[in-house]
């Protein structure tokens, strides 16, 4: 770097070693033509102000210069301050010197010695103290805003004088809204009031505004002179170190298009060389254009990333922000609150399920509603709807899902093995995950089990690092908890999935079929048309009501008095389902119960323990309702027979009882064929084969073999 004297003549050249692979013995800062250090850079810097920042090296001085502090010079090392420097300071009327030597032992010693020399010449001295081991350039390069960071160090410089302190340097253009605190002298206890600061240093001219990027859909456009650039494929989610885009350059009738990584100097140069031939423009001009284009696109990318980060923060607090409904109006909020305060709330929910198209199934419908609501609890329930094909399991699933607000439910027809590991980290948190058929999720059964029991998914996957090109391991995480809602036609579902779920068996009786037929005919009438229009209003009310429910902690003061069957290890999970069902009922009634507050004593043990704890208490009515529902639902899961098999056994028992009395024969003498049973109960032959085989295996029925046929 050339060094000029006051006449603008180059009097020496300053150099700095950049690498460590040069000839051994090469000095770190070689300087040529330096017999008397005539080039003190004592022109504009010393004329800018009566204060001067004195650095150890020219690179440090240039660091202050480009950050906006032009009253700066260098002494060529800690021992490089010469009589020529001192004479220049006195000639230009310097009153105050801020020594900005490196923060190390040599720099501290040199600063103290230099301060005594300058004070003897009538100048006041301050010490700018960088963090230990850093110089001005190191410190500025680690800062997002060197102007502000160096200004803060200037304002907090330590006074090295004796007696009474004098005013500090006035930093140029302090950041708006940033308080400017005057320094407190460390060596003077009786400091006098600070005098008015001297004139600030000369400011650099305002930066030239960069080119403006305009958006047209997914395309970005930039015009520089007669050259126009169109950019496609800018990815705000791209990892650091990669900036791949599709770029079209056009000038007049000539154009050139290619895909390149703008962070790659080689690819930029190749693009400029190729485009220069097509556009009839100098390659050097195009290279400068690409540099300006890169800076402009970085600004666009940073803005988009900030928007995504804000949306992600909103998603973490409220769920998936992409499908959030608009805020509730005051009228909607009041109607939803009035509904939640209904004394017969559970009865109204059951009635509304029927009004919205769920035929029969009052217990299944209410349990499904409460299970979907449990998504707001730390450990939600999971539901498996089991029935034969076309029996109505999907209708029950859809009826429960319809009451869940948009943005809080996710439904898939099928799920592949690892797909759940790669959804957004918070895309499933506190939501209902519905899968149309559990057979469509066989490959993802392991992930579903973990999501239900552990509350989260993590996977380590290899991918190519965009910077190094090497394979690297990346961790993906999916946060729960998640409420699972599955359906199946399998007579014997996966046992591991089964013991994690509440099993809802669809009513497959003839009476239920008649009721469904009647409801289907009703929908074709005028009353059915009006009921269909009323359905949307009912669903909107319930969705708004669920949005008002907060995930407040639930406390069960009666928990120690509860009992549960303990004859098998699987009841450990069933017992947890029972307790969670009680919590879901209490959560539903939160607008009818007072919230209790626990003021914690002692110092906080974390951010979540500082505030008072608010919670709801379970009532005996909640437990009574849960007992009634658990008798119907959990009783099935604890049974060694699946619900449909148990229903067939009861039908057989009733039929056999009637036939015994009609034929006046003892029970052990009664025989029947499958065809006779099919006519008696009205079941299909395939269903009977499956369930009769299970009853025979478990010896609820005995198979009597006669010659040539079986009974």
């Amino acid at each position: 770097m050339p060094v000029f004297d006051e006449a603008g003549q180059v009097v020496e050249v300053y150099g700095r070693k950049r690498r460590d692979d040069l000839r051994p013995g090469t000095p770190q800062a070689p300087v040529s033509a330096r017999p008397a250090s005539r080039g003190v850079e004592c022109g504009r810097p010393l004329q800018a102000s009566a204060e001067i920042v004195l650095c150890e090296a020219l690179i440090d001085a240039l660091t202050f210069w480009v950050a906006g502090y032009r009253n700066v010079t260098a002494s060529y090392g800690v021992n490089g301050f010469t009589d020529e420097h001192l004479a220049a300071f006195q000639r230009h009327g310097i009153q105050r010197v801020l020594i900005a030597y490196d923060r190390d032992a040599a720099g501290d010693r040199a600063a103290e010695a230099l301060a005594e020399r300058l004070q003897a010449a009538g100048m006041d001295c301050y010490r700018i103290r960088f963090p230990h081991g850093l110089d001005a350039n190191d410190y500025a390069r680690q800062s997002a805003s060197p102007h502000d960071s160096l200004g803060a160090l200037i304002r907090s410089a330590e006074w090295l004088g004796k007696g009474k302190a004098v005013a500090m340097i006035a930093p140029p253009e302090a950041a708006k809204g940033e308080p400017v605190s005057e320094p407190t002298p460390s060596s003077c206890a009786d400091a006098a009031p600070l005098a008015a600061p001297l004139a600030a240093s000369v400011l650099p001219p305002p930066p030239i505004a960069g080119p403006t990027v305009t958006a047209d859909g997914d395309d970005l456009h930039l015009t520089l002179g007669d050259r126009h650039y169109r950019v496609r494929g800018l990815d705000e989610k791209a990892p650091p170190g990669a900036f791949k885009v599709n770029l079209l350059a056009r000038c007049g009738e000539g154009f050139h298009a290619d895909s390149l990584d703008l962070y790659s100097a080689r690819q930029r140069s190749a693009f400029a060389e190729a485009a220069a031939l097509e556009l009839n423009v100098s390659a050097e001009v195009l290279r400068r254009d690409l540099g300006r284009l890169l800076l402009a696109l970085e600004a666009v990318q940073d803005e988009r990333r900030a928007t995504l980060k804000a949306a992600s923060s909103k998603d973490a607090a409220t769920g998936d922000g992409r499908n959030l409904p608009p805020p509730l109006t005051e009228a909607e909020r009041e109607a939803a609150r009035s509904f939640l305060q209904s004394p017969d709330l559970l009865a109204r929910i059951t009635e509304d399920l029927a009004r919205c198209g769920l035929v029969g199934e009052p217990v299944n419908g209410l349990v499904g509603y409460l299970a979907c609501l449990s998504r707001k609890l730390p450990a939600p329930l999971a539901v498996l709807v089991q029935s034969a094909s076309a029996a109505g399991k999907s209708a029950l699933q859809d009826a429960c899902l319809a009451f869940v607000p948009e943005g809080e439910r996710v439904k898939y027809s099928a799920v592949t093995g690892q797909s759940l590991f790669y959804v957004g980290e918070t895309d499933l948190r506190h939501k209902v995950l519905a899968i149309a058929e559990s057979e469509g999720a066989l490959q993802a059964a392991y992930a579903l089990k973990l999501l239900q029991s552990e509350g989260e998914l993590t996977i380590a996957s290899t991918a190519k690092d965009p910077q190094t090109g090497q394979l690297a391991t990346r961790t993906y995480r999916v946060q729960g908890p998640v409420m699972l809602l599955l359906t199946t036609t399998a007579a014997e579902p996966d046992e591991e999935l089964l013991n994690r779920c509440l099993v809802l068996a669809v009513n497959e009786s003839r009476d239920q079929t008649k009721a469904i037929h009647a409801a289907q005919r009703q929908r074709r009438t005028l009353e059915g048309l009006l009921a269909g229009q009323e359905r949307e209003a009912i669903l909107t009310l319930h969705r708004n009501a669920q949005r008002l429910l907060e995930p407040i902690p639930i406390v069960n003061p009666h928990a120690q008095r509860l009992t549960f069957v303990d004859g098998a290890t699987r009841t450990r999970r069933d017992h947890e389902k029972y307790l969670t069902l009680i919590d879901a009922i209490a959560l539903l009634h939160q607008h009818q119960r007072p919230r209790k507050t626990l003021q914690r004593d002692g110092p906080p043990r974390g951010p979540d323990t500082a505030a008072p704890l608010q919670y709801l208490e379970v009532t005996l009515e909640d437990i009574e309702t849960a007992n009634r529902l658990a008798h119907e639902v959990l009783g099935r899961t604890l049974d060694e027979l699946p619900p449909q098999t148990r229903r067939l056994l009861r039908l057989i028992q009733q039929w056999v009882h009637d036939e015994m009395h009609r034929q006046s024969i003892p029970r052990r003498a009664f025989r029947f064929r499958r065809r006779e049973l099919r006519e008696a109960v009205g079941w299909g032959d395939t269903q009977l084969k499956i369930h009769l085989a299970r009853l025979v295996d478990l010896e609820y029925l005995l198979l009597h073999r006669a010659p040539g046929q079986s009974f």
Side-chain angles (χ1 to χ4, degrees):
M1 292 175 287
V3 180
F4 302 88
D5 62 9
E6 294 186 45
Q9 301 296 321
V10 177
V11 294
E12 58 184 312
V13 177
Y14 176 84
R16 187 79 179 180
K17 182 178 176 181
R18 294 183 56 197
R19 305 195 309 271
D20 295 328
D21 58 349
L22 302 182
R23 175 177 51 81
T26 304
Q28 185 69 25
V31 181
S32 66
R34 185 175 173 248
S37 288
R38 292 179 297 150
V40 188
E41 192 44 56
C42 54
R44 287 176 294 171
L46 299 184
Q47 298 170 0
S49 173
E51 299 126 333
I52 191 72
V53 177
L54 179 62
C55 297
E56 185 174 321
L58 273 184
I59 288 182
D60 295 334
L62 289 175
T63 301
F64 277 92
W65 182 280
V66 298
Y69 301 94
R70 298 301 173 84
N71 51 331
V72 61
T73 189
S75 64
Y76 297 99
V78 293
N79 299 316
F81 191 85
T82 64
D83 292 338
E84 187 177 1
H85 285 93
L86 181 58
F89 282 13
Q90 292 173 330
R91 184 169 65 253
H92 288 279
I94 297 298
Q95 301 178 20
R96 204 156 306 140
V97 180
L98 286 88
I99 303 175
Y101 284 180
D102 299 356
R103 186 71 184 277
D104 51 25
D108 290 339
R109 287 194 302 269
E112 293 178 2
L114 179 60
E116 293 183 2
R117 182 179 178 185
L118 293 173
Q119 288 166 356
M123 303 177 196
D124 294 305
C125 292
Y126 288 82
R127 175 74 162 109
I128 294 178
R129 295 194 179 276
F130 302 103
H132 282 285
L134 297 183
D135 58 22
N137 187 255
D138 293 332
Y139 180 75
R141 286 190 298 111
Q142 295 179 11
S143 170
S145 175
H147 174 85
D148 295 337
S149 301
L150 292 174
L153 289 181
I154 290 174
R155 291 193 295 272
S156 60
E158 179 183 345
W159 187 48
L160 299 180
K162 297 180 180 179
K164 295 184 178 181
V166 292
M168 262 292 300
I169 186 172
E173 193 188 33
K176 290 185 178 180
E178 181 180 357
V180 179
S181 57
E182 295 293 346
T184 302
S186 60
S187 59
C188 181
D190 56 345
L194 298 178
L198 299 176
S201 60
V202 178
L203 292 177
I208 300 175
T212 302
V213 177
T214 59
D216 180 14
D218 293 334
D219 294 349
L220 299 175
H221 299 271
L222 177 72
T223 299
L224 296 172
D226 58 349
R227 302 169 303 283
H228 178 77
Y229 297 90
R230 186 204 64 198
V231 180
R232 288 178 176 172
L234 180 63
D235 186 7
E236 58 273 8
K237 296 182 180 180
F243 211 98
K244 296 181 179 180
V245 297
N246 178 269
L247 181 61
L248 170 67
R250 190 174 70 247
C251 182
E253 296 182 355
F255 72 92
H256 177 74
D258 199 357
S259 295
L260 72 158
D261 186 347
L262 288 175
Y263 278 164
S264 171
R266 179 180 299 176
Q267 294 186 31
R268 290 199 309 271
S269 179
F271 183 93
E273 294 291 343
L277 300 176
E278 302 287 347
L279 275 59
N280 196 24
V281 177
S282 167
E284 184 61 30
V285 171
L286 295 177
R287 274 192 286 268
R288 287 199 301 268
D289 285 357
L290 291 178
R292 300 179 67 184
L293 176 66
L294 172 59
L295 295 177
L297 292 178
E298 279 185 332
V300 174
Q301 189 183 57
D302 290 343
E303 182 179 354
R304 291 183 176 181
R305 283 176 173 170
T307 303
L308 281 178
K309 185 176 181 181
S312 178
S313 300
K314 184 177 181 181
D315 293 348
T318 61
D320 185 2
R322 293 170 294 182
N323 297 319
L324 282 179
L328 297 179
T329 65
E330 189 57 36
E332 291 173 331
R333 187 178 298 273
E334 186 57 35
R337 187 181 297 109
S338 176
F339 169 77
L340 291 172
Q341 292 173 349
S342 303
D344 57 343
L345 181 57
L346 292 175
R348 287 194 60 179
I349 292 174
T350 303
E351 178 185 352
D352 288 346
L353 283 166
R355 293 167 65 189
C356 290
L358 182 63
V359 180
E361 313 283 5
V363 173
N364 286 344
L366 183 57
V367 171
Y369 188 99
L370 292 170
C372 289
L373 188 63
S374 71
R375 69 187 181 275
K376 297 177 180 287
L377 296 174
L381 293 166
V383 169
L384 178 65
V385 183
Q386 184 184 32
S387 75
S389 179
K393 59 186 183 305
S394 297
L396 177 58
Q397 182 189 53
D398 293 340
C400 296
L401 280 178
F403 287 80
V404 179
E406 293 285 346
E408 297 186 31
R409 64 186 184 213
V410 180
K411 184 176 180 181
Y412 297 119
S413 299
V415 181
T416 59
Q418 291 189 323
S419 58
L420 293 179
F421 288 97
Y422 298 103
V423 299
E425 184 171 352
T426 60
D427 283 359
L428 298 179
R429 191 164 181 245
H430 291 297
K431 294 183 182 179
V432 177
L433 173 60
I435 301 177
E437 291 282 349
S438 64
E439 288 74 12
L442 289 178
Q443 296 178 340
Y446 176 71
L448 291 174
K449 297 169 191 175
L450 287 180
L451 201 56
Q452 179 63 21
S453 58
E454 302 295 333
E456 69 173 9
L457 295 175
T458 55
I459 188 172
S461 178
T462 56
K464 182 177 289 188
D465 190 306
Q467 295 180 343
T468 64
Q470 303 294 323
L471 289 178
T473 300
R474 181 179 176 185
T475 301
Y476 297 87
R477 182 167 180 259
V478 179
Q479 294 183 7
V482 180
M483 186 271 157
L484 297 179
L485 183 55
L486 313 172
T487 67
T488 183
T489 56
E492 296 183 1
D494 179 19
E495 183 64 27
E496 284 295 313
L497 186 60
L498 191 65
N499 60 30
R500 288 173 166 84
C501 299
L502 292 175
V503 180
L504 303 183
V506 174
N507 187 351
E508 300 180 20
S509 67
R510 179 175 294 180
D511 292 339
Q512 174 71 0
T513 303
K514 291 181 180 179
I516 292 175
H517 289 171
Q520 291 170 345
R521 291 190 290 266
Q522 172 71 14
R523 295 192 191 105
R524 265 60 176 186
T525 65
L526 178 59
E527 291 78 5
L529 177 62
L530 297 176
Q533 295 176 348
E534 182 187 25
R535 177 179 182 270
E536 193 58 37
I538 296 173
L539 293 178
T540 300
L541 175 63
H542 280 266
R543 292 166 184 167
N544 294 342
Q546 291 198 22
R547 290 172 62 185
L548 286 187
L549 295 176
E550 300 178 17
I552 185 171
I554 307 297
V555 173
N556 191 340
H558 312 287
Q560 297 299 332
R561 299 166 55 193
L562 299 175
T563 60
F564 199 80
V565 62
D566 53 9
T569 55
R570 66 160 296 166
T571 61
R572 299 175 184 178
R573 281 181 174 163
D574 291 321
H575 183 241
E576 186 64 30
K577 301 174 195 173
Y578 168 60
L579 296 176
T580 305
L581 184 60
I582 297 174
D583 293 345
I585 297 171
L587 184 71
L588 176 64
H589 290 85
Q590 64 179 250
H591 285 266
Q592 302 180 21
R593 315 269 173 84
R595 296 192 181 187
K596 299 195 174 183
T597 303
L598 174 64
Q599 186 65 48
R600 311 183 195 191
D601 299 328
R605 299 180 180 178
D608 296 333
T609 63
L613 174 66
Q614 286 193 342
Y615 62 93
L616 287 176
E617 282 193 349
V618 170
T619 66
L620 292 175
E621 290 76 12
D622 299 336
I623 296 176
E624 181 181 358
T625 302
N627 288 344
R628 174 170 57 85
L629 298 176
H631 176 73
E632 295 288 334
V633 179
L634 280 178
R636 301 167 184 165
T637 62
L638 296 174
D639 191 0
E640 65 179 348
L641 291 178
Q644 291 302 108
T645 307
R646 174 66 67 182
R647 180 175 291 118
L648 177 62
L649 179 60
R650 289 172 180 164
L651 292 174
I652 293 174
Q653 289 172 335
Q654 182 62 45
W655 176 57
V656 169
H657 180 270
D658 295 341
E659 289 297 313
M660 285 166 43
H661 286 79
R662 188 178 66 84
Q663 300 180 25
S664 299
I665 59 175
R667 183 186 186 98
R668 63 179 181 178
F670 185 76
R671 307 281 191 273
F672 64 88
R673 295 183 177 88
R674 193 169 69 240
R675 179 178 57 81
E676 297 171 343
L677 179 62
R678 185 170 66 245
E679 295 173 353
V681 300
W683 283 33
D685 191 62
T686 302
Q687 287 180 283
L688 285 181
K689 284 181 180 179
I690 295 173
H691 297 294
L692 282 176
R694 186 175 293 109
L695 290 173
V696 171
D697 289 342
L698 296 177
E699 298 183 347
Y700 284 90
L701 298 177
L702 296 180
L703 187 65
H704 176 70
R705 296 188 180 275
Q709 56 184 337
S710 297
F711 288 80

